[in-house]
Structures are given as structure tokens and as C-alpha cells.
Amino acid sequence: MLLREVSYARPASVDEAVTLLSEHEGARALAGGQTLVNVMKQRAAAPDVLVDLGALDELRAIAVSGSTLEIGAMATLTSLIRSSEVEVTRPILAEVAATVADVQVRNRGTLGGNICVNDPTNHFPPLLVALGATMTVRSSAGERTIPADEFFVGVFETVVGEGELLTRISVPAGGKGTGDGMAGVTLGAHGTYIANAAASVSDGAWRVALGCVAAVPVRATAVEERLVGTVDEEAARAAVEGLGATLDPPSDVHASADYRRSLAETSVVRAVLQATERAKG
Ligand SMILES: Cc1cc2nc3c(=O)[nH]c(=O)nc-3n(C[C@H](O)[C@H](O)[C@H](O)COP(=O)(O)OP(=O)(O)OC[C@H]3O[C@@H](n4cnc5c(N)ncnc54)[C@H](O)[C@@H]3O)c2cc1C
């Protein structure tokens, strides 16, 4: 299906992009276009102005600043896979990017687009919550920083409002004593997740987040509190006991709610064991 007529702008700076987004009601940022163009073709979205971020090289940078990995919103999934900064600080980001869809989607799709869409089955929302990332959003009023825990607010909905632009994702750089894991069940190789969990341990402190069980990633705080000391399989299984009963996941053609509860528990155990191994260095 063809796109309906739409105005198109290709700003040369972040300031110009923010001005365009705030001046035009119904303007939408265009990143890799992997989701936006498809939903426009299906008439599920009909922006009046597309603000193409493609010329904003400053939003593509991936750099380590002090103890933080700074990732520009326009960094593609392929650039995460190829980044030596990611490899050294938080390799889980590259590993997960490599499992998303296919080469075209990874070459065009951006980390910023992935999280701004907030499709509950997307890989990065739960991962960034588990890693304790923060997001920087720019508007004509200035800049604000939002923890990943508060960034996602509903299905296809984040705190990024009209006239705002996500510019940066900041992830604490891992180091000795840090380990990350992500596990789940997908619809075929490189497919969409049915359920997943991401886990991260840093000096014995855990963060665990679940995907596909609610509109937004769910922190498993009770599990985090039970994960103390050396975590072997028995300890991980004990920590997740009862987790499923606290969840209210959707039931659909791919999995019943009960099956998703069970997958969520198994995914947490696997992600936690993966993170434990990696934290050993
Ligand atoms: C066939 C296919 C399969 C896929 N499978 C998976 C999968 O299994 N797992 C997964 O995680 N992902 C999957 N994706 C999604 C993909 O990884 C991209 O993340 C996604 O398409 C959005 O990224 P994009 O850069 O293309 O964003 P776009 O499509 O350009 O934009 C998406 C939305 O985000 C907004 N936006 C983008 N960037 C910004 C910004 N900087 N500031 C404010 N708003 C912004 C846009 O306005 C738009 O509303 C799949 C995509 C396709 C096409």
C-alpha cells in the first residue's frame, strides 16, 4: 500500500529537529522507519510532517564517558553489534541486537526507535530497565533525564511527548563484578518474543525485568530481594517461586496467560544464571 501524502523535513541539527517537532502539530520523528513507515502504510498512523533524523550524526555516536556508556538515539542495532565501546562495557546490548529480526531491520532500526515504539514484545525495553539505563529527552524547554523504570508508560507509549526528541540512552558501564543476561522464548529464530526476562548483577545487587507480560516492562523486585550471595540453579529457582502468580499477562494465539507465567519464571532463572556466570569474569 502507498503512503498518503505527508510533508517531509530533514533537519541539519538537533535544535532544528526539536523546533520542527514543536512547531508542527502532528509532526513525528522518523528514525529507521522500520515501524513508522509500516504503520503509516497500514493507515494506523498519519503524521502530517515527518522529521527525518537521518542527517543528525551526533545522535549516532556511541561513546564511553567516565563510568557511563552513552548511546545516541539514532545508533542502529548493527552499530551496537559492531561497537568496541559496547563490547568492552555492556556486551549484552550487542548480543541482544544480533538476535533481532533480520539484517535489514538491524541496519535501519535504531535503539531510540526501538524504545520509543514500546512494543511490549520488543527486546530492548526490559533489557534497558534491567541495566538501569536513563533516557535523555530534548524539547524547546530544555533537556530532561528519565530512568528506564519510568520511561515506558503503556502499549506503544512512552513519556516522550509532543515536540520532544529522545537524544541519548545512558547505560552504566559494567566492570568487574557485573554480569548481564537475557533469556526468553521467541516465535522462531530471530522472531518476536512470547516472554522474556533480563537480569543484571553488579557487586551482588540485582535488577530483573520481564517483557511481554504487561504493557510495560515489569521489575521483579521480590525476586531481586531474594537473590543474595552466590546464585546457583537451586537458588535461582527458589527466588522465582511464586513470581508467576503475581503477573497478569495477556493470553493470545501464541501463548495462554498461564503459559506466559511459566515462561516468565523459566526466563528469569536462565537470565539470572547467565548473569551470574558473566559476573565471575
Ligand atoms: C519485520 C520486523 C521485525 C521486527 N522484530 C523485532 C523484534 O523481534 N524485536 C525487537 O525488539 N524489534 C523488532 N523490530 C523493531 C525494530 O527493531 C525497530 O526497533 C523498530 O522498527 C523501530 O526503530 P526505527 O529506528 O525503525 O524507528 P521508526 O520506525 O523510525 O520510529 C518508530 C517510532 O519511534 C519514534 N521515534 C523514533 N526515534 C525517536 C526519537 N529519537 N525521539 C522521539 N521519537 C522517536 C517515531 O516517531 C515512531 O513513532 C522489528 C521490525 C520489523 C520491521
Side-chain angles (χ1 to χ4, degrees), residues 28-29 31-36 105 110 113-114 116-117 122-123 165-166 191:
R28 280 283 269 282
Q34 295 300 289
T35 295
L36 184 53
V105 171
T110 63
N114 190 287
C116 283
V117 166
N122 269 4
H123 290 45
L165 187 70
L166 171 71

Side-chain angles (χ1 to χ4, degrees), residues 21 27-39 45 50 53 59 73-75 77 96 99-102 104-106 108-119 121-125 158 160-161 164-168 186 190-193:
L21 286 170
R28 280 283 269 282
L30 174 68
Q34 295 300 289
T35 295
L36 184 53
V37 173
N38 283 333
V39 296
L50 278 181
L53 310 178
L59 296 188
M74 284 294 286
L77 303 192
V96 168
T99 66
V100 173
D102 53 38
Q104 177 187 322
V105 171
R106 296 193 293 269
R108 299 281 314 167
T110 63
L111 184 60
N114 190 287
I115 62 173
C116 283
V117 166
N118 193 29
D119 180 328
T121 66
N122 269 4
H123 290 45
F124 285 96
T158 70
V160 181
E164 289 192 315
L165 187 70
L166 171 71
T167 53
R168 197 168 68 239
T186 57
H190 291 93
T192 309
Y193 270 121

Side-chain angles (χ1 to χ4, degrees), residues 3-112:
L3 291 178
R4 82 172 175 88
E5 206 167 297
V6 59
S7 299
Y8 172 86
R10 192 171 165 90
S13 70
V14 171
D15 283 346
E16 195 189 334
V18 167
T19 304
L20 284 162
L21 286 170
S22 58
E23 277 179 355
H24 298 276
E25 212 180 307
R28 280 283 269 282
L30 174 68
Q34 295 300 289
T35 295
L36 184 53
V37 173
N38 283 333
V39 296
M40 286 173 67
K41 283 182 179 171
Q42 291 159 3
R43 305 291 189 261
D48 297 318
V49 183
L50 278 181
V51 179
D52 184 351
L53 310 178
L56 306 179
D57 286 343
E58 61 189 285
L59 296 188
R60 293 194 189 277
I62 302 175
V64 179
S65 170
S67 57
T68 307
L69 173 66
E70 304 283 10
I71 305 170
M74 284 294 286
T76 61
L77 303 192
T78 296
S79 69
L80 292 178
I81 296 166
R82 293 184 180 159
S83 162
S84 54
E85 289 83 0
V86 169
E87 191 185 349
V88 170
T89 56
R90 233 58 216 240
I92 188 81
L93 290 162
E95 282 167 33
V96 168
T99 66
V100 173
D102 53 38
V103 172
Q104 177 187 322
V105 171
R106 296 193 293 269
N107 281 350
R108 299 281 314 167
T110 63
L111 184 60

Side-chain angles (χ1 to χ4, degrees), residues 124-167:
F124 285 96
L127 179 60
L128 291 176
V129 169
L131 297 184
T134 54
M135 286 65 165
T136 302
V137 171
R138 181 98 70 89
S139 73
S140 47
E143 216 171 60
R144 61 193 181 112
T145 303
I146 304 113
D149 282 322
E150 295 163 22
F151 184 80
F152 305 100
V153 293
V155 177
F156 305 129
E157 226 188 311
T158 70
V159 295
V160 181
E162 295 263 326
E164 289 192 315
L165 187 70
L166 171 71
T167 53

